[in-house]
Amino acid sequence: MQYRSFTKDNIKVSALGFGCMRFPTLDNDSSKIDEVKTIEMLRYAIDHGVNYIDTAYNYHQGNSEYMVGKALKDGYRDKVYLATKLPSWLIKNYEDFDKYLNEQLKKLDTEYIDFYLLHTLNREFWDNLKSLDVFKFLENAKRSGRVKYVGFSFHDELDVFKEIIVSYEWDFCQIQLNYLDRSYQAGEEGLKFAYNKGISVVIMEPIKGGKLTNPSGEIKSVWDLSEIKRTPAEWALRWVLNHEEVSVLLSGMSTLDQVKENIATVSNATPNSLTEEEIQLIDKVTEIYRQKVKVGCTGCEYCLPCEVNVNIPYIFQLYNDIYVFETEANSKRIYKSYIENGKDASKCMECGKCEALCPQSLEIREHLKQAHLVLAD
């Protein structure tokens, strides 16, 4: 296992972290975690050098923390650094901070959490937490020994990320990054910004929720040009770990085979280890994916809320995914739920307010019509 420095204390953490939001389940029910398989996977990972375990209050409908607590018995808790996240969206008053932290400690069956994050920060959640004196809570949590290091996970635009970064003495942060999402949300610029401020960075969605693992024939033909044969997942992980600014890469592994493959990949995926030819290959694949995008929506959500509740950026994501990742059945299935809930593109009144707010100057009304024709077919 490869280890990298983390926080100003230079803790040695495994470059591969185990993300605990995609455990194997029973009966296609995300709340019913397969305990036997999950504990086997987690303990195998730990036995083979993984020492960063990442969960959250809401994963698996609230059951992930319980399962992690079970898996870390029999001496395994002492072998790892445990990370979990405050459910930012549930915080209504100052007392809620301690309420949820103490509940999480109980669920995880541990006396302390090594790395505690404010979960999924965006402008709305950030402003609310600040107004409720979140910094006071974080200091008290550290002082009481319940939390060792504090950070946040992020889902908004780059300017919001930079504002949060400079607002507090964070130990670390967590952002989404993969070779397709280089400029999405915090992106590579945010990665470098945090790193230069002395803040360690954890990466989530390195294979874009699994979407980069099943490429089209056209993209497979590009990967086949490489002398060294790698799976699409391995290419994606290696691209992320090629950045010296990355401390930990999280993978939401669902099978033991995925655990084994990722451990093998990370063993020698050191910073700046990709050759120029390999980087060019990844760039070529990136360009093929990008050329298939139908709508250049960045998901910034400036167009929301829509007066008639049309789910604009999410509709465009489903629409794009059909052409980029060949997800026709899944995209149409999800879109059906939008129709049932009155949030589909056909509800658009064509007021044009969203277009006036769009930083990309997209012709949103026309794109929605085209998306509906495809998704509702």
Side-chain angles (χ1 to χ4, degrees), residues 300-344:
C300 70
E301 299 187 359
Y302 285 9
C303 56
L304 299 181
C306 166
E307 289 186 7
V308 290
N309 295 317
V310 176
N311 226 338
I312 300 170
Y314 305 103
I315 290 171
F316 289 156
Q317 180 178 321
L318 294 176
Y319 181 46
N320 281 331
D321 282 357
I322 289 178
Y323 298 94
V324 179
F325 302 113
E326 301 179 352
T327 61
E328 183 173 0
N330 189 55
S331 286
K332 288 184 175 181
R333 177 184 59 79
I334 295 172
Y335 191 66
K336 184 178 179 181
S337 71
Y338 289 9
I339 295 173
E340 293 170 349
N341 291 300
K343 296 183 178 182
D344 64 287

Side-chain angles (χ1 to χ4, degrees), residues 31-302:
S31 69
K32 297 179 180 178
I33 301 171
D34 188 319
E35 182 173 329
V36 174
K37 289 182 179 179
T38 296
I39 291 178
E40 178 188 22
M41 287 165 53
L42 277 167
R43 292 188 174 181
Y44 180 93
I46 296 167
D47 289 340
H48 288 80
V50 173
N51 69 1
Y52 192 104
I53 308 298
D54 171 89
T55 184
Y57 184 83
N58 60 315
Y59 291 173
H60 285 285
Q61 299 184 44
N63 291 325
S64 177
E65 289 176 322
Y66 286 118
M67 184 57 61
V68 170
K70 288 184 178 181
L72 295 184
K73 293 187 182 304
D74 304 322
Y76 278 88
R77 175 66 182 94
D78 296 331
K79 299 179 180 181
V80 301
Y81 296 107
L82 178 59
T84 194
K85 310 174 188 75
L86 176 84
S88 302
W89 57 95
L90 295 178
I91 305 301
K92 308 302 180 185
N93 53 59
Y94 184 83
E95 289 70 29
D96 283 342
F97 289 127
D98 283 312
K99 169 188 169 182
Y100 287 107
L101 171 56
N102 291 334
E103 181 184 344
Q104 290 174 287
L105 288 167
K106 187 175 181 180
K107 288 168 69 177
L108 289 161
D109 195 16
T110 187
E111 294 182 357
Y112 67 94
I113 294 163
D114 298 283
F115 305 124
Y116 198 55
L117 300 87
L118 307 183
H119 200 177
T120 193
L121 287 193
N122 56 25
R123 168 60 66 193
E124 178 187 356
F125 295 157
W126 173 236
D127 287 345
N128 180 57
L129 295 182
K130 280 194 301 180
S131 72
L132 296 175
D133 212 355
V134 67
F135 299 140
K136 176 183 175 182
F137 159 70
L138 293 175
E139 292 301 317
N140 287 339
K142 288 195 290 185
R143 194 177 302 114
S144 67
R146 293 173 296 168
V147 169
K148 302 299 183 183
Y149 299 90
V150 297
F152 65 92
S153 67
F154 183 76
H155 290 283
D156 208 320
E157 294 298 290
L158 179 61
D159 59 337
V160 180
F161 178 76
K162 290 182 176 180
E163 176 186 326
I164 296 173
I165 283 288
V166 300
S167 69
Y168 184 71
E169 290 296 318
W170 304 103
D171 297 303
F172 67 106
C173 65
Q174 183 171 311
I175 65 172
Q176 177 170 328
L177 187 67
N178 55 68
Y179 64 74
L180 274 192
D181 294 330
R182 305 181 196 203
S183 300
Y184 178 68
Q185 296 182 355
E188 285 186 295
E189 184 176 341
L191 169 66
K192 291 177 170 57
F193 185 82
Y195 180 81
N196 290 332
K197 296 290 184 182
I199 298 171
S200 297
V201 185
V202 178
I203 300 301
M204 56 183 160
E205 303 294 352
I207 54 176
K208 204 170 174 65
K211 291 178 180 177
L212 300 179
T213 62
N214 296 300
S216 65
E218 181 181 8
I219 289 174
K220 286 179 182 176
S221 67
V222 177
W223 291 139
D224 288 342
L225 296 174
S226 173
E227 291 183 10
I228 301 176
K229 303 308 174 186
R230 295 174 174 141
T231 65
E234 183 175 358
W235 280 110
L237 299 186
R238 285 182 176 276
W239 183 86
V240 171
L241 291 171
N242 202 55
H243 294 75
E244 64 181 354
E245 301 90 350
V246 171
S247 291
V248 181
L249 173 152
L250 295 177
S251 179
M253 297 169 278
S254 302
T255 68
L256 185 59
D257 284 344
Q258 290 174 359
V259 175
K260 292 177 178 179
E261 178 183 340
N262 289 349
I263 288 173
T265 295
V266 168
S267 65
N268 62 356
T270 54
N272 304 308
S273 59
L274 289 176
T275 67
E276 185 59 36
E277 291 75 15
E278 289 172 328
I279 292 173
Q280 289 175 3
L281 210 62
I282 295 171
D283 289 345
K284 186 172 182 179
V285 167
T286 302
E287 186 57 29
I288 293 173
Y289 273 125
R290 286 179 176 168
Q291 287 175 359
K292 294 178 181 294
V293 171
K294 291 292 184 180
V295 185
C297 174
T298 65
C300 70
E301 299 187 359
Y302 285 9

